C-alpha cells in the first residue's frame, strides 16, 4: 500500500444514541467508497461492521469495529479515512470512550424523528471531554414524523448553540428527495433508489427565501471565527465559497462550529456529501495539537515542560493501546493509535506503562473482523498488533531509547453484578480462561470471588452487558453456567469527619510488631473517590512506612462496615503516630491502618449508596398515567415531560435496584408501543427503610 500523507488522513468515529442509524451510515460509507459491493442492512443481520453473532441477532452494535476506506474528493484528491463504528447502547459506553480517546474527529448521528436522545448527550459530552471536533448528521428524514428543524432546536437546547446547518432537506417523510447545499447555493435531487443518480438544480422557488436566511446565518457564524473574512463581510465584499470552506474547516477543528448535514442512510440519500464534508472539515493528524506525556496532579505543578510527540513519521515512536480483542484465528489483538514515528513488524518496543520490552510480531489493518497484514505503520494511523503478551488497554508503547508515557484511559465503575457458577468441573476450568480473556477485552467488566459464599461475581454496566458476556462465555468458550439474579453494585461512604487511632502491637518472643497511626477521615463530594494525605511532621512516623499505611487504608476500604460494599468518597489523612526502632515494620503499619479505618468508619455514621439512573421513556399519550404511576412505585423522581407529536416523553431519575426487567414491564403497560433508554447518573444515599431491608437480607 502506498504511503498516504498525513494531510490526506482522517481518523474519525461514528457516534450516536442507540438506533439513530450509525451502523447503517457506516455501511453506506463502505458501499459508496467501494469497500464493499453490496449494501448490508442491520435489520437483516447483514451489516459488515456488526460481525458478532450477538450483534446480528439483536440488531445492535456491541463492540466498536474499525475499518479503512479511501474517498476521492473534488478538491483534495484521495483521502484515507480510518473509521471506528461505535455502540449506541449505554451498557457499552467504554467502547465509545476508548475510541474517542484516539480519534481526531467524530460524526454524531441524530434520529430525524427523536432529535437529541439521552445517549446522544452522553457521547457528546465524552467527545467534549476528549476535545474531539464534530460534525452532525440528521438521519432518517424519510420516516413518518421526521422534522429536521425540530432536531436543530433540540441540538441547540440540549447540546450546543454552535451547531449550524450546512444543508437543508427538500421535502420530508415519504417526500424527502434531496438536499440544499447552502454554501454552493444549489439543490441536489436524488433520482434513483441507490442514491447514485443525482441531478444538480436551482433551489426550489418555495424554499428560496428560507435557504437565503439560513445561508446568511451560516456566513455570519463562519466569519465570526475569521478576522480577515469579517472585514470583507462588513465591507460588503464578495467572499468566495473556497474561503468560507477554509474558514469553516478551522472553526470545526477549533470546535467553535459544529456543521449539520442531513439525509437518510437507509434510503441512500446524503451520504456522498457527508463523506465530502468529513474530508473537507474534520482535522487530519497534523491539525490537532501534539500529544503530551501524562503527569499526575502533584507533578504537574513542578513540571514546567511536558514531553510532546508530533504526528511525524521521523519522530521517536509512540502509540497508545486503546482496545484488546480475542480473535478466534490469530488470538490476542491489541488495537493501537500511532501518534509519532513508525512501527515495523519484528521490531522491539518498550511498554512504558509496565517497563517491559515487547517484540512486535504481526501488524494488521482491521476491516471489522477481517485482517490485512502490513509490514509497517506510520504516525497518524490506526491498526492492531497480534500476540503482545504483557500489554493491556491504556498502555503506552514507545521507542526503547526515548521513553514517554501517554495519558491512559479511565473507565466508569460497573453498577450491576450477578453470581455465576460453572455446571461441571470441566466448565470451571473453561470459565476461568473465558473470564480472563473477556475482562482483558472489556475494562468495565469486573470479576471477584465472594469470600463468604466462594461464588464468582461478575459485574458490568447493565443487564444487557452481562447478558452478552454470559452469552459469549457459552458460545465462544463452551462454558455452561448457572446464573444468579442481578444484584446492584452498592457502595458505602461516611457522613461526618472523625479522628481515629490504629494500633498493632504484637509481642511473642524475639522480634515483635509495632505500628501506630492517627487518622482523620473526612467525607468527600459524591464522585470524588478516595484521597490520601500525608500530614506527618517531625518524623513521628518515618517516611518509609507511609506507603504501607496507604496500602492498609485502601485494603480496609474494599469492604465497608454497613453491608460489606466498597467505601468511596472519603479523604484519609495520617497526621500523627509513633514507631519502635526495632519492632516497627511495613506489615505492622499496614495492619494498624486497616484497624484504624474499620474503627473510624463505624464512628463516622456510614451510609449505603445506590446507583441512580437517568431514564427517558417515549410512549403514546394514552399510557402516560400508567407509566408515571409505575415509575412512582419505583422511587422515581419525574424531572420533566414533553410532547412530540402523539408521543409523550418522560424524563426521570430512578434507583437502578428498582429497574431490573423494566423493558418487559414497559412493554406490557404500553401494549408494546413504549421504549426507554437508561444511563448512569450518580450514586446517592439509600433511604433508611430500604437500607434496613438490604442489611437485614445480608445478615440472613
Amino acid at each position: 500500500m502506498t504511503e498516504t500523507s498525513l494531510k490526506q488522513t482522517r481518523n474519525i468515529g461514528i457516534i450516536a444514541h442507540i438506533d439513530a442509524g450509525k451502523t447503517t451510515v457506516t455501511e453506506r460509507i463502505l458501499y459508496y467508497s467501494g469497500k464493499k459491493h453490496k449494501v448490508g442492512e442491520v435489520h437483516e443481520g447483514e451489516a459488515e461492521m456488526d460481525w458478532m453473532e450477538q450483534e446480528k441477532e439483536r440488531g445492535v452494535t456491541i463492540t466498536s469495529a474499525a475499518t479503512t476506506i479511501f474517498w476521492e474528493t473534488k478538491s483534495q484528491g484521495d483521502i484515507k479515512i480510518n473509521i471506528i463504528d461505535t455502540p449506541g447502547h449505554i451498557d457499552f459506553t467504554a467502547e465509545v470512550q476508548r475510541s474517542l480517546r484516539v480519534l481526531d474527529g467524530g460524526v454524531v448521528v441524530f434520529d430525524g424523528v427523536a432529535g437529541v436522545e439521552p445517549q446522544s448527550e452522553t457521547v457528546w459530552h465524552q467527545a467534549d471531554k476528549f476535545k474531539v471536533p464534530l460534525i452532525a448528521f440528521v438521519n432518517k428524514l424519510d420516516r413518518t414524523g421526521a422534522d429536521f428543524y425540530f432536531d436543530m432546536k433540540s441540538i441547540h437546547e440540549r447540546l450546543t448553540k454552535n451547531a449550524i446547518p450546512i444543508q437543508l432537506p427538500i421535502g420530508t417523510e415519504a417526500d424527502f428527495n434531496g438536499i440544499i447545499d447552502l454554501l454552493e447555493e444549489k439543490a441536489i435531487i436524488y433520482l434513483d433508489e441507490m442514491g447514485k443518480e443525482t441531478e444538480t438544480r436551482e433551489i426550489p422557488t418555495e424554499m428560496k427565501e428560507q435557504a437565503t436566511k439560513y445561508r446568511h446565518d451560516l456566513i455570519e457564524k463562519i466569519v465570526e471565527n475569521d478576522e480577515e473574512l469579517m472585514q470583507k463581510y462588513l465591507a460588503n465584499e464578495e467572499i468566495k465559497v473556497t474561503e468560507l470552506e477554509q474558514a469553516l474547516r478551522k472553526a470545526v477543528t477549533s470546535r467553535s462550529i459544529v456543521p449539520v448535514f442531513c439525509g437518510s442512510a437507509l434510503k441512500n440519500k446524503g451520504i456522498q456529501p457527508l463523506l465530502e464534508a468529513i474530508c473537507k472539515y474534520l482535522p487530519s493528524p497534523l491539525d490537532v495539537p501534539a500529544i503530551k506525556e501524562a503527569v499526575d496532579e502533584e507533578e504537574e505543578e513542578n513540571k514546567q515542560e511536558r514531553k510532546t510527540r508530533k504526528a511525524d513519521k521521523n519522530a521517536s515512536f509512540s502509540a497508545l493501546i486503546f482496545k484488546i480483542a480475542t480473535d478466534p484465528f490469530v488470538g490476542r489483538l491489541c488495537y493501537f493509535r500511532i501518534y509519532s514515528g513508525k512501527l515495523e513488524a519484528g521490531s522491539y518496543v518498550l511498554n512504558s506503562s509496565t517497563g517491559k520490552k515487547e517484540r512486535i510480531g504481526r501488524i494488521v489493518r482491521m476491516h471489522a473482523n477481517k485482517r490485512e497484514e502490513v509490514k509497517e505503520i506510520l504516525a497518524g494511523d490506526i491498526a492492531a498488533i497480534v500476540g503482545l503478551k504483557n500489554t493491556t488497554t491504556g498502555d503506552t508503547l514507545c521507542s526503547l531509547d526515548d521513553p514517554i508515557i501517554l495519558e491512559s484511559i479511565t473507565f466508569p465503575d460497573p453498577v450491576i453484578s450477578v453470581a455465576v457458577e460453572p455446571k461441571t468441573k470441566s466448565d470451571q476450568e473453561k470459565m476461568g480462561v473465558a473470564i480472563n480473556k473477556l475482562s482483558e477485552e472489556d475494562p468495565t467488566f469486573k470479576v471477584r470471588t465472594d469470600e463468604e459464599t466462594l461464588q464468582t461475581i461478575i459485574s458490568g454496566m447493565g443487564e444487557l452487558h452481562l447478558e452478552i458476556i454470559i452469552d459469549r462465555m457459552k458460545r465462544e468458550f463452551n462454558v455452561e453456567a448457572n446464573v444468579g439474579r442481578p444484584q446492584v453494585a452498592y457502595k458505602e461512604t461516611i457522613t461526618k469527619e472523625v479522628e481515629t487511632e490504629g494500633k498493632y502491637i504484637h509481642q511473642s518472643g524475639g522480634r515483635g510488631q509495632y505500628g501506630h497511626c492517627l487518622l482523620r477521615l473526612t467525607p468527600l463530594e459524591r464522585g470524588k473517590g478516595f484521597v490520601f494525605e500525608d500530614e506527618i511532621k517531625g518524623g513521628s512516623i518515618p517516611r518509609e512506612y507511609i506507603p504501607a499505611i496507604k496500602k492498609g487504608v485502601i485494603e480496609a476500604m474494599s469492604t465497608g462496615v454497613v453491608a460489606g460494599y466498597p467505601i468511596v468518597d472519603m479523604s484519609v489523612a495520617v497526621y500523627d503516630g509513633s514507631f519502635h526502632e526495632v519492632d516497627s515494620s511495613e506489615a505492622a503499619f499496614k495492619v494498624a491502618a486497616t484497624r484504624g479505618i474499620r474503627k473510624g468508619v463505624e464512628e463516622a455514621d456510614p451510609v449505603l449508596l445506590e446507583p441512580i439512573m437517568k431514564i427517558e421513556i417515549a410512549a403514546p399519550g394514552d399510557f402516560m398515567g400508567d407509566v408515571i404511576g409505575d415509575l412512582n412505585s419505583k422511587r422515581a423522581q419525574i424531572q420533566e415531560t414533553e410532547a412530540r407529536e402523539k408521543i409523550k416523553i418522560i424524563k426521570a431519575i430512578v434507583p437502578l435496584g428498582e429497574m431490573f426487567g423494566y423493558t418487559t414491564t414497559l412493554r406490557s403497560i404500553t401494549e408494546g408501543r413504549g421504549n426507554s433508554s437508561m444511563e448512569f447518573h450518580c450514586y446517592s444515599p439509600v433511604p433508611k427503610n430500604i437500607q434496613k431491608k438490604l442489611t437485614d437480607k445480608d445478615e440472613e
Side-chain angles (χ1 to χ4, degrees):
M1 181 178 281
T2 57
E3 179 193 325
T4 310
S5 77
L6 281 168
K7 201 175 174 187
Q8 306 294 94
T9 300
R10 305 286 180 272
N11 292 313
I12 68 152
I14 313 280
I15 57 176
H17 182 91
I18 189 168
D19 277 346
K22 287 175 316 306
T23 303
T24 307
V25 168
T26 312
E27 287 298 311
R28 296 310 188 268
I29 286 173
L30 296 181
Y31 174 70
Y32 289 120
S33 64
K35 188 78 183 185
K36 62 184 290 191
H37 303 292
K38 177 179 177 288
V39 168
E41 301 297 9
V42 176
H43 56 271
E44 291 168 5
E46 295 287 319
E48 189 115 344
M49 303 301 271
D50 283 353
W51 55 269
M52 287 171 73
E53 287 304 319
Q54 293 89 341
E55 292 178 315
K56 289 177 192 289
E57 287 168 8
R58 294 161 190 262
V60 298
T61 305
I62 289 165
T63 182
S64 50
T67 189
T68 302
I69 64 153
F70 288 85
W71 181 253
E72 194 176 336
T73 62
K74 293 163 192 163
S75 55
Q76 299 165 281
D78 244 12
I79 300 283
K80 177 170 78 174
I81 309 174
N82 293 318
I83 300 173
I84 297 182
D85 174 34
T86 64
H89 198 289
I90 187 66
D91 285 15
F92 309 107
T93 188
E95 291 288 332
V96 183
Q97 215 159 322
R98 58 173 156 204
S99 302
L100 284 169
R101 170 69 175 79
V102 297
L103 293 170
D104 301 325
V107 177
V108 189
V109 181
F110 294 97
D111 183 315
V113 179
V116 175
E117 298 172 271
Q119 186 65 0
S120 323
E121 291 189 64
T122 304
V123 295
W124 190 279
H125 297 318
Q126 285 173 333
D128 272 352
K129 179 183 164 187
F130 294 116
K131 298 184 168 52
V132 176
L134 298 171
I135 63 179
F137 181 69
V138 176
N139 190 25
K140 300 191 178 185
L141 287 176
D142 59 300
R143 281 182 59 206
T144 305
D147 183 345
F148 176 77
Y149 303 98
F150 165 76
D151 268 48
M152 282 308 308
K153 184 167 173 269
S154 70
I155 291 168
H156 286 152
E157 284 173 1
R158 294 174 66 174
L159 298 176
T160 178
K161 292 274 189 254
N162 291 333
I164 188 101
I166 304 289
Q167 296 174 343
L168 297 179
I170 299 172
T172 186
E173 300 179 352
D175 298 327
F176 172 57
N177 69 341
I179 48 184
I180 292 170
D181 182 324
L182 292 172
L183 279 178
E184 298 275 2
E185 293 184 278
K186 64 182 184 186
I188 300 163
I189 305 297
Y190 289 90
L191 305 172
D192 71 327
E193 272 196 12
M194 291 317 295
K196 287 196 165 184
E197 290 279 319
T198 60
E199 190 176 277
T200 304
R201 297 181 188 167
E202 288 287 306
I203 293 170
T205 316
E206 68 276 14
M207 288 191 73
K208 271 220 160 108
E209 194 180 321
Q210 191 182 20
T212 305
K213 178 196 171 299
Y214 273 92
R215 188 174 196 271
H216 176 265
D217 293 348
L218 172 61
I219 290 170
E220 275 202 345
K221 188 81 177 163
I222 294 172
V223 300
E224 269 175 28
N225 293 279
D226 188 297
E227 221 162 287
E228 211 174 295
L229 292 189
M230 179 62 98
Q231 299 304 327
K232 273 190 170 185
Y233 179 72
L234 293 173
N236 276 332
E237 289 176 36
E238 191 199 339
I239 303 173
K240 291 178 190 161
V241 171
T242 50
E243 291 178 299
L244 288 168
E245 286 176 344
Q246 283 165 6
L248 180 56
R249 179 183 173 78
K250 279 185 193 159
V252 172
T253 302
S254 66
R255 301 175 65 251
S256 40
I257 289 183
V258 178
V260 184
F261 299 83
C262 62
S264 163
L266 189 66
K267 300 292 183 192
N268 311 300
K269 295 182 174 87
I271 299 299
Q272 297 100 316
L274 177 65
L275 269 163
E276 283 287 327
I278 286 167
C279 300
K280 253 183 206 171
Y281 305 122
L282 286 179
S284 76
L286 293 173
D287 298 320
V288 293
I291 191 97
K292 290 182 176 177
E293 72 173 317
V295 289
D296 63 31
E297 283 172 23
E298 287 173 28
E299 277 181 42
E300 190 144 23
E301 292 171 21
N302 312 327
K303 200 159 188 171
Q304 298 305 308
E305 278 301 311
R306 285 161 72 178
K307 274 188 192 176
T308 58
R309 288 279 195 270
K310 275 188 184 162
D312 176 357
K313 68 173 185 176
N314 299 314
S316 295
F317 166 68
S318 67
L320 185 78
I321 302 291
F322 68 94
K323 178 179 164 92
I324 304 291
T326 306
D327 186 292
F329 302 105
V330 298
R332 198 168 185 266
L333 280 172
C334 298
Y335 285 71
F336 68 100
R337 157 79 190 260
I338 176 168
Y339 284 99
S340 59
K342 61 183 176 184
L343 184 64
E344 293 171 350
S347 61
Y348 283 89
V349 296
L350 174 70
N351 179 333
S352 53
S353 306
T354 62
K356 289 182 177 165
K357 202 160 104 171
E358 289 266 29
R359 183 179 181 277
I360 304 300
R362 292 160 61 199
I363 303 172
V364 290
R365 255 185 219 292
M366 298 304 294
H367 174 55
N369 62 335
K370 299 181 183 72
R371 298 160 305 282
E372 173 203 342
E373 195 155 339
V374 291
K375 290 289 170 230
E376 70 170 11
I377 285 284
L378 304 174
D381 229 332
I382 289 172
I385 303 164
V386 179
L388 292 185
K389 297 280 187 294
N390 304 308
T391 295
T392 189
T393 302
D395 284 359
T396 301
L397 298 180
C398 59
S399 48
L400 295 164
D401 55 355
D402 190 4
I404 187 171
I405 294 186
L406 305 176
E407 199 170 313
S408 190
I409 311 171
T410 53
F411 295 102
D413 289 334
V415 292
I416 180 173
S417 308
V418 294
V420 288
E421 280 179 352
K423 285 188 176 172
T424 66
K425 188 87 174 123
S426 73
D427 283 325
Q428 190 160 4
E429 286 163 22
K430 286 189 283 188
M431 189 167 95
V433 172
I435 279 175
N436 275 341
K437 288 197 169 164
L438 292 168
S439 57
E440 259 190 0
E441 280 186 31
D442 184 348
T444 58
F445 169 54
K446 302 276 192 239
V447 186
R448 66 181 174 85
T449 303
D450 188 301
E451 287 173 12
E452 287 175 19
T453 63
L454 298 177
Q455 282 177 311
T456 301
I457 309 292
I458 61 172
S459 306
M461 299 306 294
E463 284 181 275
L464 179 62
H465 187 199
L466 292 183
E467 250 177 63
I468 299 290
I469 293 277
I470 290 157
D471 194 36
R472 287 187 66 191
M473 274 169 42
K474 193 172 179 176
R475 289 194 205 196
E476 292 170 36
F477 302 95
N478 300 316
V479 176
E480 292 293 335
N482 296 317
V483 182
R485 285 185 59 225
Q487 301 290 320
V488 176
Y490 292 101
K491 293 186 177 177
E492 298 183 19
T493 193
I494 59 170
T495 55
K496 69 174 191 185
E497 186 177 297
V498 296
E499 292 186 346
T500 179
E501 181 179 41
K503 219 175 219 183
Y504 179 54
I505 302 169
H506 186 67
Q507 208 69 46
S508 58
R511 186 178 167 182
Q513 293 284 357
Y514 184 93
H516 173 225
C517 55
L518 297 176
L519 306 170
R520 186 185 313 105
L521 278 49
T522 311
L524 292 176
E525 248 179 81
R526 209 60 68 239
K528 291 290 181 195
F530 163 62
V531 175
F532 180 79
E533 291 175 68
D534 170 13
E535 293 180 5
I536 295 295
K537 297 200 170 48
S540 56
I541 298 175
R543 283 274 158 265
E544 66 262 30
Y545 297 134
I546 301 298
I549 292 172
K550 185 176 181 180
K551 214 178 268 181
V553 168
I554 290 168
E555 204 171 281
M557 286 176 67
S558 65
T559 45
V561 300
V562 180
Y565 293 105
I567 300 165
V568 293
D569 303 336
M570 179 169 86
S571 162
V572 177
V574 51
Y575 65 91
D576 204 356
S578 61
F579 72 104
H580 190 282
E581 289 287 357
V582 179
D583 292 350
S584 280
S585 67
E586 286 185 11
F589 272 102
K590 187 177 160 200
V591 175
T594 305
R595 288 182 175 180
I597 290 293
R598 293 217 174 287
K599 185 165 153 258
V601 168
E602 279 178 6
E603 293 166 4
D605 296 348
V607 292
L608 208 54
L609 298 173
E610 63 183 342
I612 303 292
M613 311 302 280
K614 264 197 297 192
I615 187 165
E616 188 168 298
I617 298 157
D622 310 352
F623 304 106
M624 273 288 272
D626 292 343
V627 172
I628 289 175
D630 180 64
L631 281 174
N632 287 336
S633 74
K634 297 180 186 302
R635 297 193 282 130
Q637 292 173 34
I638 310 294
Q639 306 278 284
E640 61 175 293
T641 58
E642 61 179 80
R644 291 181 196 162
E645 303 290 313
K646 292 175 184 169
I647 298 290
K648 294 281 191 287
I649 308 293
I650 302 163
K651 295 175 192 171
I653 55 171
V654 59
L656 175 64
E658 304 282 351
M659 297 305 284
F660 293 138
Y662 184 69
T663 308
T664 313
T665 308
L666 183 64
R667 278 192 197 128
S668 68
I669 293 174
T670 62
E671 296 171 7
R673 292 159 68 196
N675 61 58
S676 66
S677 57
M678 192 163 65
E679 61 177 293
F680 176 72
H681 176 52
C682 66
Y683 268 90
S684 182
V686 175
K688 284 278 186 277
N689 59 327
I690 307 286
Q691 180 170 312
K692 188 170 185 324
K693 271 188 211 167
L694 289 166
T695 48
D696 288 351
K697 205 186 290 178
D698 287 337
E699 283 161 18
E700 282 168 20

